[in-house]
Amino acid sequence: MELFRTEKVSEHVNRIKTPFGVSMFLVQGENKALLIDTGMGIGDLKSYIEQNTDTPYEVVLTHGHCDHAGGASQFDEVYLNPDDFALEKWHATKGHRISDVFTGPFPVPEGITEADFVLQRTREYRPLMPEMSFDLGGCTVCFIKVPGHTQGCLVPLIPEDGVMIIGDALGENTLMHFKESTTVETYRRSIENLLAVQDQYSLLVRFHGEGASEHRILEDMHDLCTEIMNHEDAKVEAEMMGMKGCWGRERKHPGKAGNMIYNPERIFDADDEVKA
């Protein structure tokens, strides 16, 4: 049973695909490597990584959701933004991951049982801050903080390859309706952070789905945030992953890239202030 499969993205960036609808990335430099995310925590990811690199390596998480932090317990040191420390504790439990996999939209490979799930990490995380970068030798990975999908969501950028791993930060199914998500107003500012460095990337790759996103998705998603804030979006009521929200665009929206489901009660930053 093949749980991990690697494909080349660019000179230094490799995508590690799994059967569970989520990928990880291994960025390989001359001196060391960087594993970005640890997936659902099914199978022996650590052994797979060590079979596929002959250099030392470090491990970082883009955010605290279970399909990205699930395998963190296998590694001694793991970096995560502190704003997602609390999220990881309740979202990446073994029980939560088992439920997500066996009730999720992807067929579970034959032979997978609860025993194949690693335990949740109990060791402390090292803080991953936006100003940090990892010099791997011949390439660098830096991180841009993009609060939105989660409070501590970070986007990795590999300037030497012109690659940005947008991950869960934005896409055709951007999930912004969770309790751990930010307001739409905060999220729009996050997209502006990515637009500010657009001269450093040409390829946008994802953790979910195949291939890459169109470069214009950034401006189109920024426009969508503005439409939502002006109450000019499609506001299609829906329910996803047990939580209700509104899609900003119709599910089919030719001519525009990207979409998001958001909480209509948390559009402006002031909405959070009122609740507090």
Side-chain angles (χ1 to χ4, degrees):
M1 178 176 24
E2 188 178 49
L3 292 178
F4 310 110
R5 179 168 57 87
T6 298
E7 62 181 26
K8 196 79 170 173
V9 173
S10 64
E11 180 181 356
H12 300 98
V13 181
N14 305 279
R15 185 199 306 265
I16 301 173
K17 304 186 73 172
T18 77
F20 309 104
V22 65
S23 296
M24 299 151 283
F25 288 86
L26 184 67
V27 185
Q28 181 65 63
E30 297 169 0
N31 303 323
K32 63 180 180 179
L34 186 70
L35 174 63
I36 301 174
D37 281 0
T38 58
M40 272 289 189
I42 302 172
D44 191 356
L45 175 63
K46 186 174 189 289
S47 292
Y48 183 82
I49 296 302
E50 293 177 354
Q51 291 166 10
N52 282 274
T53 181
D54 56 5
T55 66
Y57 63 92
E58 296 189 84
V59 183
V60 300
L61 304 179
T62 57
H63 61 292
H65 278 155
C66 69
D67 53 338
H68 299 263
S73 65
Q74 285 199 294
F75 303 94
D76 292 334
E77 289 190 348
V78 182
Y79 290 83
L80 174 66
N81 185 266
D83 287 343
D84 272 11
F85 280 2
L87 169 63
E88 185 277 339
K89 287 187 183 302
W90 68 265
H91 202 278
T93 65
K94 184 175 180 179
H96 195 150
R97 288 181 282 124
I98 289 170
S99 176
D100 267 21
V101 168
F102 286 99
T103 63
F106 297 94
V108 180
E110 186 177 352
I112 289 292
T113 70
E114 295 184 5
D116 295 303
F117 289 73
V118 302
L119 296 174
Q120 184 179 15
R121 183 180 183 84
T122 56
R123 283 169 287 186
E124 292 185 355
Y125 286 97
R126 298 193 67 179
L128 179 61
M129 309 306 291
E131 65 272 11
M132 292 176 63
S133 63
F134 293 79
D135 184 353
L136 307 180
C139 73
T140 306
V141 184
C142 52
F143 292 85
I144 303 166
K145 192 172 181 184
V146 187
H149 179 58
T150 72
Q151 300 286 337
C153 192
L154 291 169
V155 166
L157 173 65
I158 304 93
E160 292 84 357
D161 287 23
V163 172
M164 186 163 72
I165 304 173
I166 56 173
D168 289 12
L170 73 166
E172 289 298 330
N173 298 289
T174 310
L175 305 181
M176 285 284 300
H177 65 315
F178 297 140
K179 63 181 181 180
E180 62 266 25
S181 302
T182 70
T183 64
V184 175
E185 184 177 7
T186 291
Y187 179 54
R188 185 175 70 167
R189 288 195 299 271
S190 295
I191 296 175
E192 290 167 359
N193 293 339
L194 301 180
L195 287 168
V197 294
Q198 60 183 319
D199 60 326
Q200 297 185 49
Y201 55 83
S202 56
L203 181 63
L204 306 176
V205 293
R206 304 186 296 263
F207 286 107
H208 301 279
E210 299 291 334
S213 292
E214 299 177 78
H215 202 281
R216 65 173 184 167
I217 194 172
L218 290 159
E219 291 186 358
D220 283 357
M221 285 292 283
H222 188 273
D223 289 346
L224 178 57
C225 289
T226 302
E227 291 168 12
I228 293 169
M229 293 169 66
N230 291 336
H231 306 291
E232 296 172 346
D233 64 303
K235 200 172 184 177
V236 180
E237 294 184 2
E239 183 173 328
M240 179 168 281
M241 301 183 75
M243 300 190 70
K244 293 182 179 180
C246 293
W247 288 104
R249 293 186 171 122
E250 299 287 348
R251 298 300 280 137
K252 293 184 178 180
H253 45 272
K256 290 287 185 180
N259 202 355
M260 60 187 282
I261 183 170
Y262 66 95
N263 181 343
E265 295 183 358
R266 299 187 64 226
I267 295 175
F268 298 98
D269 293 346
D271 296 335
D272 278 353
E273 293 173 8
V274 170
K275 289 184 179 181

